[in-house]
Amino acid sequence: MSRRRPACLVSLLLLLFLAAACRSAPPVRRPARSVILISIDSLRADHVGCYGYQKPTTPALDRFAAGAVRFANAYAVSSWTLPSHASMFTGLYEDAHLAFANNSRMDDDNVTLAEAFQAAGYETAAIVCAPFLRREYNIQQGFASYDQEIAETRRPTIRKVKTSRQVTDKALAILKERAASPRPFFLFVHYWDVHYDYNPPDEYTAMFDPDYRGAIDGLNISKRQDLQPGMDPRDLAHLIALYDGEIRYTDDHLAELLAFIDGSTLAADTAVVITADHGDEFLEHGSTGHTFTCYEELVRIPLLIRAPGLVVRTPVVDAPIENVDLYPTLLSLAGLPPVKRPIQGYDLRPLIEKGEAPPRQELYCETRMGRRYGWHGQKGIWRSLSRLDGKKIHEFRGHKTHTSEYELYDLKNDPRELTNLVELNAELLAKIKSELYRRHRASLELAGDLNLQDARQKKGGDAGKDDALRDQLKGLGYVQ
Ligand SMILES: [Zn+2]
């Protein structure tokens, strides 16, 4: 007995130690094996149910949001398709990645998100619909498979045809194949129907405005003269109902894609990120469509992230973030190391898991396709800077006048940017102007450090030489 007792004691102690070790060891959390990024073109955040919209535009997105992290204050860093997606794919602002004009071919010296995944051994694939995401813009860098069949649809069809069915079918085909393969993948899916023109199928029009008997329709948005401040509010309400119909039509197709993911093995090991590239405006500041300014209706976007291995501190994140953050965040969700070159976005994982917000003091937005007073107004460069205290400045520099005009808003008291305080705050204006200038200079210097140029200056760098592409852009009103 006396010889057995120490052995029993040792066994008991060992069991206690193991039990304690099991209690204190953190659970093993594997990062996502694969990543799906879904961009819904032109979807403004305040028309999404889980962002507070009262009409049933997005039941599928809302269901997805219930199991995801929702960023309540997500911002696009530009207000049109090419530069905003270029920022998602490079982690750089427009001043740094330099894809800012309707004929800007992205520089080969960018290292895109798809290239980073590809270098890590991922299968990479994309399905795109917008002319501005065609290969001519060199935005396909890093995608082994780049399906731009829909983006090649000739004008005027590109504005009128419904594409969500095709996008969903193409994405499902890829996912079925990927689900059966051991190789990790990165898939980019771009939905387009929310983008003007607004001509949803009849049942979707009836869903949001069944009683309308007027004459307004959602066609030829970029060419119309009747969409002006002072138009009949009932007609404007119908135009917005048509936009909502496009959102619901897209959401009904997205529902199929999300249902497939949730019903397959992908649900357990795949990160799904859903966002938009910019919003759309409905005369809040005198125009329709997008591209021209950086007002809130154009830059507030939805962002939902669901990923295995993520320790979610709170399902709704209030800290403001920008879509340049997607680049480092998507790599982080997959457990990949950060890229070895400077970028301007921040990994959002510390914010999601520990509440540690990115160390930026302001949000930045730029569109060099800026315009004052609508489609036919004066052209120029529009930049804006929002400080975390809610003070937001807009600068518009006319291409012909070479003079700048400024607006200053207090978003905390005036979230719709209706009361311009610039005349009252000369000191604050001077301070924010210098911050704006500093941000602009820093981006240009970074572009120099990364050897990035406006690729139009390089041989073969002008993306606008293709006649069919120019034809499409004319149809959308981007070129005259
Ligand atoms: Zn877009």
Side-chain angles (χ1 to χ4, degrees), residues 174-214:
I174 290 174
L175 290 180
K176 282 171 187 167
E177 204 180 302
R178 289 292 107 217
S181 164
R183 190 173 170 194
F185 68 90
F186 169 55
L187 172 65
F188 173 63
V189 182
H190 174 244
Y191 279 96
W192 170 251
D193 286 326
V194 179
H195 190 287
Y196 61 80
D197 290 346
Y198 314 121
N199 58 333
D202 289 345
E203 73 240 53
Y204 289 88
T205 305
M207 196 180 291
F208 294 100
D209 196 5
D211 303 325
Y212 182 71
R213 298 289 177 267

CSV table of all heavy atoms in Angstrom, one decimal, residues 174-214:
chain,number,residue,atom,x,y,z
A,174,ILE,N,-18.8,28.2,-59.8
A,174,ILE,CA,-17.5,28.2,-59.2
A,174,ILE,C,-17.5,27.6,-57.8
A,174,ILE,O,-16.6,26.8,-57.4
A,174,ILE,CB,-16.9,29.7,-59.2
A,174,ILE,CG1,-16.7,30.2,-60.6
A,174,ILE,CG2,-15.7,29.8,-58.3
A,174,ILE,CD1,-16.3,31.6,-60.7
A,175,LEU,N,-18.4,28.0,-57.0
A,175,LEU,CA,-18.4,27.5,-55.6
A,175,LEU,C,-18.6,26.0,-55.5
A,175,LEU,O,-18.1,25.4,-54.6
A,175,LEU,CB,-19.5,28.3,-54.8
A,175,LEU,CG,-19.2,29.7,-54.5
A,175,LEU,CD1,-20.3,30.4,-53.7
A,175,LEU,CD2,-17.8,29.9,-53.7
A,176,LYS,N,-19.5,25.5,-56.4
A,176,LYS,CA,-19.7,24.0,-56.4
A,176,LYS,C,-18.4,23.3,-56.6
A,176,LYS,O,-18.1,22.3,-56.0
A,176,LYS,CB,-20.8,23.6,-57.4
A,176,LYS,CG,-22.2,23.9,-56.9
A,176,LYS,CD,-23.2,23.7,-57.9
A,176,LYS,CE,-24.6,24.2,-57.4
A,176,LYS,NZ,-25.6,24.4,-58.4
A,177,GLU,N,-17.6,23.8,-57.6
A,177,GLU,CA,-16.3,23.2,-57.9
A,177,GLU,C,-15.3,23.4,-56.8
A,177,GLU,O,-14.6,22.5,-56.4
A,177,GLU,CB,-15.8,23.9,-59.2
A,177,GLU,CG,-14.8,23.1,-60.0
A,177,GLU,CD,-14.4,24.0,-61.2
A,177,GLU,OE1,-15.2,24.4,-62.0
A,177,GLU,OE2,-13.2,24.2,-61.3
A,178,ARG,N,-15.3,24.6,-56.2
A,178,ARG,CA,-14.4,24.9,-55.1
A,178,ARG,C,-14.7,24.1,-53.9
A,178,ARG,O,-13.8,23.7,-53.1
A,178,ARG,CB,-14.4,26.4,-54.8
A,178,ARG,CG,-13.8,27.3,-55.8
A,178,ARG,CD,-12.3,27.2,-56.0
A,178,ARG,NE,-12.0,26.5,-57.2
A,178,ARG,CZ,-11.0,25.6,-57.3
A,178,ARG,NH1,-10.2,25.3,-56.2
A,178,ARG,NH2,-10.7,25.0,-58.4
A,179,ALA,N,-16.0,23.9,-53.6
A,179,ALA,CA,-16.4,23.2,-52.4
A,179,ALA,C,-15.8,21.7,-52.4
A,179,ALA,O,-15.6,21.1,-51.3
A,179,ALA,CB,-17.9,23.1,-52.2
A,180,ALA,N,-15.6,21.2,-53.6
A,180,ALA,CA,-15.1,19.8,-53.7
A,180,ALA,C,-13.6,19.8,-53.8
A,180,ALA,O,-13.0,18.7,-53.9
A,180,ALA,CB,-15.7,19.2,-55.0
A,181,SER,N,-12.9,20.9,-53.7
A,181,SER,CA,-11.4,20.9,-53.9
A,181,SER,C,-10.8,21.3,-52.6
A,181,SER,O,-11.3,22.1,-51.8
A,181,SER,CB,-11.1,22.0,-54.9
A,181,SER,OG,-9.7,22.3,-54.8
A,182,PRO,N,-9.6,20.7,-52.3
A,182,PRO,CA,-8.9,21.0,-51.1
A,182,PRO,C,-8.2,22.3,-51.1
A,182,PRO,O,-7.7,22.8,-50.1
A,182,PRO,CB,-7.9,19.8,-50.9
A,182,PRO,CG,-7.7,19.3,-52.3
A,182,PRO,CD,-9.0,19.6,-53.1
A,183,ARG,N,-8.0,22.9,-52.3
A,183,ARG,CA,-7.2,24.1,-52.5
A,183,ARG,C,-8.0,25.3,-52.0
A,183,ARG,O,-9.2,25.5,-52.4
A,183,ARG,CB,-6.8,24.3,-53.9
A,183,ARG,CG,-5.8,25.3,-54.1
A,183,ARG,CD,-5.3,25.4,-55.6
A,183,ARG,NE,-4.5,26.5,-55.8
A,183,ARG,CZ,-4.2,27.0,-57.0
A,183,ARG,NH1,-4.5,26.3,-58.1
A,183,ARG,NH2,-3.4,28.0,-57.2
A,184,PRO,N,-7.4,26.2,-51.2
A,184,PRO,CA,-8.2,27.4,-50.7
A,184,PRO,C,-8.4,28.3,-51.9
A,184,PRO,O,-7.7,28.3,-52.9
A,184,PRO,CB,-7.2,28.0,-49.7
A,184,PRO,CG,-5.9,27.6,-50.0
A,184,PRO,CD,-6.0,26.2,-50.6
A,185,PHE,N,-9.4,29.2,-51.8
A,185,PHE,CA,-9.7,30.1,-52.9
A,185,PHE,C,-10.1,31.5,-52.4
A,185,PHE,O,-10.5,31.6,-51.3
A,185,PHE,CB,-10.8,29.5,-53.8
A,185,PHE,CG,-12.2,29.5,-53.1
A,185,PHE,CD1,-13.1,30.5,-53.2
A,185,PHE,CD2,-12.6,28.3,-52.4
A,185,PHE,CE1,-14.3,30.5,-52.6
A,185,PHE,CE2,-13.8,28.3,-51.7
A,185,PHE,CZ,-14.7,29.4,-51.8
A,186,PHE,N,-9.9,32.4,-53.3
A,186,PHE,CA,-10.5,33.8,-53.1
A,186,PHE,C,-11.4,34.1,-54.3
A,186,PHE,O,-10.9,34.0,-55.5
A,186,PHE,CB,-9.3,34.8,-53.1
A,186,PHE,CG,-9.8,36.3,-53.1
A,186,PHE,CD1,-10.7,36.8,-52.2
A,186,PHE,CD2,-9.3,37.1,-54.1
A,186,PHE,CE1,-11.2,38.1,-52.3
A,186,PHE,CE2,-9.7,38.5,-54.2
A,186,PHE,CZ,-10.6,38.9,-53.3
A,187,LEU,N,-12.6,34.4,-54.0
A,187,LEU,CA,-13.6,34.7,-55.1
A,187,LEU,C,-14.2,36.1,-54.9
A,187,LEU,O,-14.6,36.4,-53.8
A,187,LEU,CB,-14.8,33.6,-55.0
A,187,LEU,CG,-16.0,33.9,-56.0
A,187,LEU,CD1,-15.6,33.8,-57.4
A,187,LEU,CD2,-17.1,33.0,-55.7
A,188,PHE,N,-14.1,36.9,-56.0
A,188,PHE,CA,-14.8,38.2,-56.0
A,188,PHE,C,-16.0,38.2,-56.8
A,188,PHE,O,-16.0,37.8,-58.0
A,188,PHE,CB,-13.8,39.2,-56.5
A,188,PHE,CG,-14.4,40.6,-56.7
A,188,PHE,CD1,-14.9,41.3,-55.6
A,188,PHE,CD2,-14.4,41.2,-58.0
A,188,PHE,CE1,-15.4,42.6,-55.8
A,188,PHE,CE2,-15.0,42.4,-58.1
A,188,PHE,CZ,-15.5,43.1,-57.0
A,189,VAL,N,-17.1,38.6,-56.3
A,189,VAL,CA,-18.4,38.6,-57.0
A,189,VAL,C,-18.9,40.0,-57.0
A,189,VAL,O,-19.1,40.6,-55.9
A,189,VAL,CB,-19.4,37.6,-56.3
A,189,VAL,CG1,-20.7,37.6,-57.1
A,189,VAL,CG2,-18.9,36.2,-56.2
A,190,HIS,N,-19.2,40.5,-58.2
A,190,HIS,CA,-19.7,41.9,-58.3
A,190,HIS,C,-21.1,41.9,-58.9
A,190,HIS,O,-21.4,41.4,-60.0
A,190,HIS,CB,-18.7,42.6,-59.3
A,190,HIS,CG,-19.2,44.0,-59.7
A,190,HIS,ND1,-19.5,44.4,-60.9
A,190,HIS,CD2,-19.3,45.1,-58.9
A,190,HIS,CE1,-19.8,45.7,-61.0
A,190,HIS,NE2,-19.7,46.1,-59.8
A,191,TYR,N,-22.1,42.4,-58.1
A,191,TYR,CA,-23.5,42.5,-58.5
A,191,TYR,C,-23.7,44.0,-59.0
A,191,TYR,O,-23.2,44.9,-58.5
A,191,TYR,CB,-24.4,42.3,-57.4
A,191,TYR,CG,-24.7,40.8,-57.1
A,191,TYR,CD1,-24.0,40.1,-56.2
A,191,TYR,CD2,-25.6,40.1,-57.9
A,191,TYR,CE1,-24.2,38.7,-55.9
A,191,TYR,CE2,-25.9,38.7,-57.6
A,191,TYR,CZ,-25.1,38.1,-56.7
A,191,TYR,OH,-25.4,36.7,-56.5
A,192,TRP,N,-24.5,44.1,-60.1
A,192,TRP,CA,-24.6,45.3,-60.8
A,192,TRP,C,-25.9,46.0,-60.9
A,192,TRP,O,-26.1,47.2,-61.3
A,192,TRP,CB,-24.0,45.0,-62.2
A,192,TRP,CG,-24.1,46.0,-63.3
A,192,TRP,CD1,-25.0,46.0,-64.4
A,192,TRP,CD2,-23.4,47.2,-63.4
A,192,TRP,NE1,-24.8,47.1,-65.2
A,192,TRP,CE2,-23.8,47.9,-64.6
A,192,TRP,CE3,-22.4,47.9,-62.7
A,192,TRP,CZ2,-23.3,49.1,-65.1
A,192,TRP,CZ3,-21.9,49.1,-63.1
A,192,TRP,CH2,-22.3,49.7,-64.3
A,193,ASP,N,-27.0,45.2,-60.7
A,193,ASP,CA,-28.3,45.7,-61.0
A,193,ASP,C,-28.8,47.0,-60.3
A,193,ASP,O,-29.6,47.7,-60.7
A,193,ASP,CB,-29.4,44.6,-60.9
A,193,ASP,CG,-29.3,43.6,-62.0
A,193,ASP,OD1,-29.0,44.0,-63.1
A,193,ASP,OD2,-29.5,42.4,-61.7
A,194,VAL,N,-28.2,47.2,-59.1
A,194,VAL,CA,-28.6,48.4,-58.3
A,194,VAL,C,-28.1,49.7,-59.0
A,194,VAL,O,-28.7,50.7,-58.8
A,194,VAL,CB,-28.0,48.3,-56.9
A,194,VAL,CG1,-28.4,49.5,-56.0
A,194,VAL,CG2,-28.6,47.0,-56.2
A,195,HIS,N,-27.0,49.5,-59.7
A,195,HIS,CA,-26.5,50.7,-60.5
A,195,HIS,C,-27.5,51.2,-61.5
A,195,HIS,O,-28.3,50.4,-62.0
A,195,HIS,CB,-25.2,50.2,-61.3
A,195,HIS,CG,-24.4,51.3,-61.9
A,195,HIS,ND1,-24.9,52.0,-63.0
A,195,HIS,CD2,-23.2,51.9,-61.6
A,195,HIS,CE1,-23.9,52.9,-63.3
A,195,HIS,NE2,-22.9,52.9,-62.5
A,196,TYR,N,-27.6,52.6,-61.6
A,196,TYR,CA,-28.6,53.1,-62.6
A,196,TYR,C,-28.3,52.5,-64.0
A,196,TYR,O,-27.1,52.1,-64.2
A,196,TYR,CB,-28.6,54.6,-62.7
A,196,TYR,CG,-27.3,55.2,-63.1
A,196,TYR,CD1,-26.9,55.3,-64.4
A,196,TYR,CD2,-26.4,55.7,-62.1
A,196,TYR,CE1,-25.7,55.9,-64.8
A,196,TYR,CE2,-25.2,56.3,-62.5
A,196,TYR,CZ,-24.8,56.4,-63.8
A,196,TYR,OH,-23.6,56.9,-64.2
A,197,ASP,N,-29.2,52.3,-64.9
A,197,ASP,CA,-30.6,52.8,-64.8
A,197,ASP,C,-31.4,51.9,-63.8
A,197,ASP,O,-31.0,50.8,-63.5
A,197,ASP,CB,-31.3,52.7,-66.2
A,197,ASP,CG,-30.7,53.8,-67.1
A,197,ASP,OD1,-30.1,54.7,-66.6
A,197,ASP,OD2,-31.0,53.7,-68.3
A,198,TYR,N,-32.6,52.5,-63.4
A,198,TYR,CA,-33.4,51.8,-62.4
A,198,TYR,C,-34.6,51.3,-63.2
A,198,TYR,O,-35.6,52.0,-63.4
A,198,TYR,CB,-33.9,52.8,-61.3
A,198,TYR,CG,-32.7,53.6,-60.7
A,198,TYR,CD1,-32.8,55.0,-60.8
A,198,TYR,CD2,-31.6,53.0,-60.2
A,198,TYR,CE1,-31.8,55.8,-60.3
A,198,TYR,CE2,-30.6,53.8,-59.6
A,198,TYR,CZ,-30.7,55.2,-59.7
A,198,TYR,OH,-29.7,55.9,-59.2
A,199,ASN,N,-34.6,50.0,-63.6
A,199,ASN,CA,-35.7,49.4,-64.3
A,199,ASN,C,-35.9,48.0,-63.8
A,199,ASN,O,-35.7,47.0,-64.6
A,199,ASN,CB,-35.5,49.5,-65.8
A,199,ASN,CG,-34.2,48.8,-66.2
A,199,ASN,OD1,-33.2,48.7,-65.4
A,199,ASN,ND2,-34.1,48.3,-67.4
A,200,PRO,N,-36.3,47.8,-62.6
A,200,PRO,CA,-36.5,46.4,-62.1
A,200,PRO,C,-37.7,45.8,-62.7
A,200,PRO,O,-38.5,46.5,-63.3
A,200,PRO,CB,-36.8,46.7,-60.6
A,200,PRO,CG,-37.3,48.0,-60.5
A,200,PRO,CD,-36.7,48.8,-61.6
A,201,PRO,N,-37.8,44.5,-62.7
A,201,PRO,CA,-39.0,43.8,-63.2
A,201,PRO,C,-40.2,44.3,-62.5
A,201,PRO,O,-40.1,44.8,-61.4
A,201,PRO,CB,-38.7,42.3,-62.8
A,201,PRO,CG,-37.3,42.2,-62.7
A,201,PRO,CD,-36.8,43.5,-62.2
A,202,ASP,N,-41.4,44.3,-63.2
A,202,ASP,CA,-42.6,44.9,-62.7
A,202,ASP,C,-43.0,44.6,-61.3
A,202,ASP,O,-43.4,45.4,-60.5
A,202,ASP,CB,-43.8,44.5,-63.6
A,202,ASP,CG,-43.6,45.2,-65.0
A,202,ASP,OD1,-42.8,46.2,-65.1
A,202,ASP,OD2,-44.3,44.8,-65.9
A,203,GLU,N,-42.8,43.3,-60.9
A,203,GLU,CA,-43.3,42.9,-59.6
A,203,GLU,C,-42.4,43.7,-58.5
A,203,GLU,O,-42.9,43.9,-57.4
A,203,GLU,CB,-43.2,41.4,-59.4
A,203,GLU,CG,-41.8,40.8,-59.2
A,203,GLU,CD,-41.5,39.8,-60.3
A,203,GLU,OE1,-41.6,40.2,-61.5
A,203,GLU,OE2,-41.1,38.7,-60.0
A,204,TYR,N,-41.2,44.0,-58.8
A,204,TYR,CA,-40.3,44.7,-57.9
A,204,TYR,C,-40.7,46.2,-57.8
A,204,TYR,O,-40.5,46.9,-56.8
A,204,TYR,CB,-38.9,44.5,-58.2
A,204,TYR,CG,-38.4,43.1,-57.9
A,204,TYR,CD1,-38.6,42.1,-58.9
A,204,TYR,CD2,-37.9,42.7,-56.7
A,204,TYR,CE1,-38.2,40.8,-58.6
A,204,TYR,CE2,-37.6,41.4,-56.4
A,204,TYR,CZ,-37.7,40.4,-57.4
A,204,TYR,OH,-37.4,39.1,-57.1
A,205,THR,N,-41.2,46.7,-58.9
A,205,THR,CA,-41.6,48.1,-58.9
A,205,THR,C,-42.9,48.2,-58.1
A,205,THR,O,-43.1,49.1,-57.2
A,205,THR,CB,-42.0,48.6,-60.4
A,205,THR,OG1,-40.8,48.4,-61.2
A,205,THR,CG2,-42.4,50.0,-60.4
A,206,ALA,N,-43.8,47.2,-58.3
A,206,ALA,CA,-45.1,47.2,-57.5
A,206,ALA,C,-44.8,47.1,-56.0
A,206,ALA,O,-45.6,47.6,-55.2
A,206,ALA,CB,-45.9,46.1,-58.1
A,207,MET,N,-43.7,46.4,-55.7
A,207,MET,CA,-43.5,46.1,-54.3
A,207,MET,C,-43.2,47.4,-53.5
A,207,MET,O,-43.6,47.5,-52.3
A,207,MET,CB,-42.2,45.2,-54.2
A,207,MET,CG,-41.9,44.5,-52.9
A,207,MET,SD,-40.4,43.5,-53.0
A,207,MET,CE,-40.8,42.2,-54.2
A,208,PHE,N,-42.7,48.4,-54.1
A,208,PHE,CA,-42.3,49.6,-53.4
A,208,PHE,C,-43.1,50.8,-53.7
A,208,PHE,O,-43.0,51.8,-53.0
A,208,PHE,CB,-40.8,49.9,-53.5
A,208,PHE,CG,-39.9,48.8,-52.9
A,208,PHE,CD1,-39.4,47.8,-53.7
A,208,PHE,CD2,-39.8,48.7,-51.5
A,208,PHE,CE1,-38.6,46.8,-53.1
A,208,PHE,CE2,-39.0,47.7,-50.9
A,208,PHE,CZ,-38.5,46.7,-51.7
A,209,ASP,N,-43.9,50.8,-54.8
A,209,ASP,CA,-44.7,52.0,-55.2
A,209,ASP,C,-45.8,51.5,-56.1
A,209,ASP,O,-45.9,51.9,-57.2
A,209,ASP,CB,-43.8,53.0,-55.9
A,209,ASP,CG,-44.5,54.4,-55.9
A,209,ASP,OD1,-45.5,54.5,-55.3
A,209,ASP,OD2,-43.9,55.3,-56.6
A,210,PRO,N,-46.8,50.7,-55.5
A,210,PRO,CA,-47.8,50.2,-56.3
A,210,PRO,C,-48.8,51.2,-56.9
A,210,PRO,O,-49.5,51.0,-57.9
A,210,PRO,CB,-48.5,49.2,-55.4
A,210,PRO,CG,-48.2,49.7,-54.0
A,210,PRO,CD,-46.9,50.3,-54.1
A,211,ASP,N,-48.9,52.4,-56.2
A,211,ASP,CA,-50.0,53.3,-56.6
A,211,ASP,C,-49.6,54.4,-57.5
A,211,ASP,O,-50.4,55.2,-57.9
A,211,ASP,CB,-50.5,54.0,-55.3
A,211,ASP,CG,-51.0,53.0,-54.3
A,211,ASP,OD1,-51.6,51.9,-54.7
A,211,ASP,OD2,-50.9,53.2,-53.1
A,212,TYR,N,-48.3,54.4,-57.9
A,212,TYR,CA,-47.9,55.5,-58.8
A,212,TYR,C,-48.5,55.4,-60.2
A,212,TYR,O,-48.6,54.4,-60.8
A,212,TYR,CB,-46.3,55.4,-58.9
A,212,TYR,CG,-45.7,56.5,-59.7
A,212,TYR,CD1,-45.7,57.8,-59.2
A,212,TYR,CD2,-45.2,56.3,-61.0
A,212,TYR,CE1,-45.1,58.8,-60.0
A,212,TYR,CE2,-44.7,57.3,-61.8
A,212,TYR,CZ,-44.6,58.6,-61.2
A,212,TYR,OH,-44.1,59.6,-62.0
A,213,ARG,N,-49.0,56.6,-60.6
A,213,ARG,CA,-49.7,56.7,-61.9
A,213,ARG,C,-49.0,57.7,-62.8
A,213,ARG,O,-49.5,58.1,-63.9
A,213,ARG,CB,-51.2,57.0,-61.8
A,213,ARG,CG,-52.0,56.0,-61.0
A,213,ARG,CD,-52.1,54.7,-61.8
A,213,ARG,NE,-52.8,53.6,-61.1
A,213,ARG,CZ,-52.2,52.7,-60.4
A,213,ARG,NH1,-50.9,52.7,-60.3
A,213,ARG,NH2,-52.9,51.8,-59.7
A,214,GLY,N,-47.9,58.3,-62.3
A,214,GLY,CA,-47.2,59.3,-63.1
A,214,GLY,C,-46.4,58.8,-64.2
A,214,GLY,O,-46.4,57.6,-64.6
